[in-house]
Structure formats: C-alpha cells, structure tokens
Amino acid sequence: GEDVKPFTPEKAKEIVMSLQQPAVFCNMVGDWPALQWNAKYLSAVLDGKTIQFRLGQKTVDLVPQFETRCSYVQATLPEFLAWSCGHPCLSGPFSCYEYSKYWAYADYKYIARIFEDKPEVFQDIRWSDFGFPGRSGKESTLWIGSEGANTPCHLDSYGCNLVLQVQGRKKWHLFPPGDTSFLYPTRIPYEESSIFSKVNVANPDLKQFPKFRNTTAHVVTLSPGQVLLIPRHWWHYVESIDPITVSINSWIELDADHEARVEEAITRMLVCAIKSAENPSDGDCWLNPTEVEATSHEINLQYLNKAVSAYFKCQKASVSEQASSSSTGAEQRTGASCKRRKREASCEREGCRLPTQEFGFSTFKAENLQEIPFGPHLIQVLPQTRETSLMGAAAVESDGRDLLHGNEGGHIGKLHCSREQLVMSNDCETPAHQMDSDGNPNTSLTALSTNDLLDCLVNPRVISLVARLLLERTSV
C-alpha cells in the first residue's frame, strides 16, 4: 500500500548508525504532519511570537561570514515573509536591511522552546520511523531562511545528523573527516561542539588556503520530503537556494560522544584561559553568540572532571552490559542528545558502549550491513570531480546509480604520529611562500597572534592526543 515505507525502523536505524558516507532517504516521511510546516503555516502557529534572525550580506566574500560577523534582529514570521518578498520595509526590524543585499536566517531554534506552549506539535515529527522511538519534535531544531542564508563550513563534535527538508531547497557541501587538515580548522569563534573552517568553501581563497585544493567535496541539493544523513565528523557548508527554506533536524547521540566530551572540555579550558587573558581592548569577538559567556577556569575544570568521570562510568557500564548481552541478547539503545548541550557529561542511557575503533562511530559495526541498499529510496551523495570543485562549476548531483566512493583522505586524530610530525604537520607548518631564499621563516611577516597559537594548540589532532593521554593517566 501507499503507507508502506521502503525501510523498516530497524533497517533505517541500522543504516543511520553504520553508514559512514552521506546519503539521502526518500519516501520515508510522506505521512509526517511536519511536511506542512512551511513558513506560512508556522507563522499562524506561532501567532505573532518573535524569534531571532541572523542577517548576513549576500556579497560573496573570501572569508566565512561567521556568526560573530552577522547582525541580529527579533522579528515575527509575518515580518520576515513580507521582507523576503522584496517589499520595501520602511519600519520594523528589517527596515535597515535591504533584501537585495542581505539574507536572514532563523537558525538553530529548539522546537521544544519556541513551541513550549504547544507541545502537541512535537508529534508532527516522527523520528521513530528511523528507528528512534520516542524521538519527536521535542528533540529537534528548526531552521527558517531566505535565499542565500548559510551556515559556515564546520563539523559537529557530537553525534550524527538527520535533516528533513520541508520547504524550498538547500545545497549541502560535505567533506569527509579525512579532509580536516585541508579545511584549516579553527576554534575561533569558539562554540562548544563546533569546529569551524577558515575557508569560505563557496569562494575559496586558494592563495591563503592552498591545501583546500586537496579536498573532496560531496555536493547534494536537498528537496522537500527528503532526509539527509550526515555521518559523524563530516564537514558541511549549507546554503538556502530558494526564496524561503524550512528544515528540521535532530542530532543522534553516539557512543564516541563520551570521549568527544572530554576533548571538548579540554578545548574549552584552553580557549577560555588563553583568550580571557588577552587585553579586552583588542576587540576580538572570539566567543560565538551561542555561547552565553566565557566560563571561569574553575567551572571548566569541573566540566572536565565530569566528562572524564562519565567516560569511565560508561566504560564500566559497557563491560557489564557486554557480559549481560552475551547471555540475554539485549537490544542496544541510543539515547537523545543536543548538539550544543553545555557542561553535561552524565551518562543516563542504558547500554552505553565505548567505541570499538580508534574513532568508533556508533554502536553498530559496519559489518552489520550485509549490503547497503542504495537505490531510489537511499541515494548516495557522491564526490565532485576535483576539476569541477575548483572551477566553481555547477554542483554534481547524486543520482544513486554509482557505487559509493570510499573516503580518500584517511582519518583525523591519528595517535601514532611522532613529535616532529605534530610540530611540522599540515596545520602548523610554515608555508613555502613565507620562507626567505635561504629556507628560513620570513621575519618580515606579521607577528603571530593568540589565534595563530590556538589554531595549533587546539587542533583536533592535538586535542585528541591530549585527551587520550589524560584518560590513560586517570585510568592508572
């Protein structure tokens, strides 16, 4: 019948937890009431409630428009819709922003918060169809944008991501974890759980960021009714390409998040300590607007200790559950998570397991999938050709007919690299054009900044190594 979905919840969850390449689910949400959540419908449901919009310039720049470089307004959805039609706004929150020059984005809105007085709408979103019973709009976020609205290229430290497109289309540029060093990772602006790229991937400055040439972009345009799976630690830049777009997403917690929380606690402590020591008159907006304040060293140390304690608590639970599972065949469970959950390192889920690989991605192992069922209902997102990517030509869209391409770039955070490799590795080495004729660093260059130091000090590979050493010390 028409209501039969191409994948059972069990099979869908198996794919989500095992697949390490981005893919698009089709024909899985046709009966979801959330498909009617276009901007006009949401405008009526919100009934005049204001939400915050982030505004950026449509002019394509060589550097990313981080949230620290954007403007912010509080507005209702009717005000946003009137502005997005191109009508001149002589008054109101958008009056200072000409539509032809700016985009607006109501991004990262917790549905549980903006609809706290209408909890019945949570059930319009049914992640149970993907094998996560009980997960609804309460564990999801909402994104409403105008044409050109975008999220800078970044990776999420925690979980994997399921994204439902409701209205309009969005173009996703995704890069595998092995491309991390080619994307020039930075923690400035600082936000827990987000590692940003210094590169504007839509308009890369190849003179300043030459290694970006080595990336392997996977590009897909997500249309209404489709659900995109973004595996753990895949970089992504997202842009709205229609006049109005609406998306809903949910982050799925993974067992590897327990170690990631230790890494994030270390990063928070270092960034806050070093940046807080700078002269405030320097005017560096280093803290992302999503972070309320720079937390104190004492609080950050407490956070680190809680993260480490939770890690070992889950390690102990894992040993107990493995013994139990071998005799009872108990089902593994995955609990809910929030990407930007602050200072919470407790392990409340049943069945917490430690990753079985160096970068263990999930409870399910890849070999659990006898055959990945690619086809019209599960479309793989294929890599662009390097020539197409660098020439800035139209994106190569995935049609699901070819075999899934492997990860060409390896993995981040390898722990067996030597001290010399760490010091002179991709992200910290002195570029050739900054050397003098004798091969020595050019002393006429601008002096190194605090941020230059932090880019090396809290590089994902360095932090991964520090976290492992810290956990080894604690376990003794």
Side-chain angles (χ1 to χ4, degrees):
E2 294 181 359
D3 293 336
V4 176
K5 299 182 186 296
F7 304 110
T8 64
E10 294 76 18
K11 187 63 176 180
K13 181 176 182 180
E14 190 178 338
I15 294 169
V16 168
M17 302 297 280
S18 299
L19 187 58
Q20 294 308 306
Q21 297 281 338
V24 177
F25 286 91
C26 301
N27 307 312
M28 284 290 290
V29 298
D31 58 347
W32 287 23
L35 284 185
Q36 68 179 335
W37 282 29
N38 58 43
K40 287 185 178 180
Y41 173 84
L42 292 172
S43 178
V45 175
L46 287 171
D47 193 25
K49 189 173 186 177
T50 61
I51 54 179
Q52 182 173 266
F53 287 84
R54 176 166 62 94
L55 292 106
Q57 296 186 7
K58 288 184 176 179
T59 303
V60 180
D61 202 350
L62 290 176
V63 293
Q65 288 195 57
F66 291 127
E67 293 174 60
T68 49
R69 299 180 59 213
C70 292
S71 302
Y72 294 84
V73 299
Q74 291 286 135
T76 64
L77 275 182
E79 290 171 328
F80 165 73
L81 289 172
W83 174 80
S84 63
C85 290
H87 299 155
C89 294
L90 301 179
S91 62
F94 292 102
S95 58
C96 297
Y97 304 95
E98 188 177 335
Y99 175 74
S100 62
K101 297 180 180 179
Y102 288 88
W103 48 259
Y105 209 3
D107 53 351
Y108 210 101
K109 305 305 177 192
Y110 284 107
I111 290 174
R113 190 170 300 159
I114 62 176
F115 292 114
E116 59 186 351
D117 56 339
K118 297 181 176 64
E120 64 275 7
V121 306
F122 299 164
Q123 303 310 313
D124 288 0
I125 302 164
R126 303 170 179 172
W127 297 114
S128 57
D129 285 344
F130 288 84
F132 303 98
R135 184 180 291 260
S136 65
K138 188 176 181 181
E139 296 83 22
S140 306
T141 49
L142 181 66
W143 311 70
I144 306 170
S146 66
E147 184 177 0
N150 63 79
T151 304
C153 187
H154 68 286
L155 71 78
D156 302 323
S157 302
Y158 308 143
C160 63
N161 194 357
L162 287 173
V163 184
L164 165 65
Q165 193 62 26
V166 176
Q167 180 180 2
R169 296 168 300 156
K170 280 185 174 177
K171 180 161 286 188
W172 290 74
H173 298 247
L174 301 115
F175 303 87
D179 282 359
T180 292
S181 63
F182 308 142
L183 287 159
Y184 299 83
T186 183
R187 296 311 300 258
I188 304 298
Y190 173 75
E191 171 186 275
E192 181 184 346
S193 81
S194 293
I195 303 176
F196 292 102
S197 168
K198 287 185 174 183
V199 184
N200 180 350
V201 301
N203 186 33
D205 184 346
L206 296 179
K207 289 185 178 180
Q208 186 174 2
F209 306 112
K211 290 183 293 183
F212 182 74
R213 296 176 183 272
N214 300 323
T215 59
T216 305
H218 295 60
V219 182
V220 65
T221 297
L222 199 65
S223 298
Q226 296 179 330
V227 175
L228 174 64
L229 165 64
I230 306 156
R232 181 176 187 258
H233 285 179
W234 272 73
W235 293 82
H236 45 285
Y237 165 81
V238 192
E239 183 174 355
S240 299
I241 59 176
D242 282 331
I244 300 291
T245 62
V246 177
S247 308
I248 297 168
N249 87 294
S250 190
W251 280 274
I252 308 299
E253 185 178 52
L254 302 175
D255 295 329
D257 292 349
H258 297 294
E259 185 168 343
R261 292 191 186 281
V262 176
E263 295 175 359
E264 285 297 300
I266 295 169
T267 300
R268 173 181 284 274
M269 175 175 287
L270 292 173
V271 172
C272 287
I274 293 176
K275 293 299 290 185
S276 297
E278 282 190 317
N279 190 332
S281 64
D282 291 345
D284 180 14
C285 298
W286 63 274
L287 200 63
N288 217 42
T290 53
E291 293 285 334
V292 178
E293 61 182 355
T295 44
S296 69
H297 180 77
E298 290 73 19
I299 290 176
N300 291 334
L301 186 59
Q302 291 176 19
Y303 184 26
L304 175 61
N305 278 283
K306 288 180 179 178
V308 171
S309 296
Y311 176 91
F312 286 110
K313 181 179 180 181
C314 288
Q315 187 178 44
K316 184 177 180 180
S318 173
V319 173
S320 299
E321 189 195 2
Q322 285 177 359
S324 174
S325 297
S326 63
S327 59
T328 65
E331 288 189 2
Q332 298 162 329
R333 301 177 179 88
T334 300
S337 71
C338 293
K339 170 176 172 285
R340 300 188 188 189
R341 183 182 297 164
K342 302 295 188 298
R343 289 170 292 283
E344 194 219 52
S346 63
C347 176
E348 301 173 346
R349 302 184 292 117
E350 291 186 36
C352 292
R353 289 183 183 274
L354 291 178
T356 56
Q357 306 170 13
E358 181 179 356
F359 298 97
F361 293 104
S362 65
T363 301
F364 290 91
K365 295 182 181 179
E367 55 262 30
N368 288 344
L369 279 180
Q370 305 251 337
E371 181 180 348
I372 299 173
F374 291 119
H377 306 299
L378 183 66
I379 302 173
Q380 56 199 313
V381 181
L382 298 176
Q384 286 182 302
T385 63
R386 189 148 295 165
E387 293 77 11
T388 301
S389 178
L390 293 178
M391 289 173 60
V396 177
E397 301 298 343
S398 170
D399 63 5
R401 291 179 295 187
D402 298 320
L403 293 176
L404 184 65
H405 286 235
N407 184 343
E408 300 176 3
H411 295 287
I412 62 172
K414 295 290 187 183
L415 300 181
H416 53 261
C417 55
S418 67
R419 176 178 177 275
E420 181 180 358
Q421 286 174 320
L422 276 176
V423 175
M424 297 301 295
S425 62
N426 290 330
D427 301 298
C428 307
E429 64 187 1
T430 304
H433 69 274
Q434 293 183 9
M435 310 289 278
D436 62 22
S437 58
D438 296 324
N440 298 312
N442 189 336
T443 55
S444 65
L445 292 173
T446 304
L448 291 171
S449 67
T450 304
N451 291 354
D452 293 325
L453 172 63
L454 280 172
D455 283 340
C456 295
L457 187 61
V458 296
N459 179 279
R461 291 176 299 128
V462 176
I463 292 296
S464 177
L465 175 59
V466 172
R468 291 300 178 89
L469 292 173
L470 187 65
L471 291 171
E472 286 176 11
R473 174 186 293 266
T474 309
S475 64
V476 174

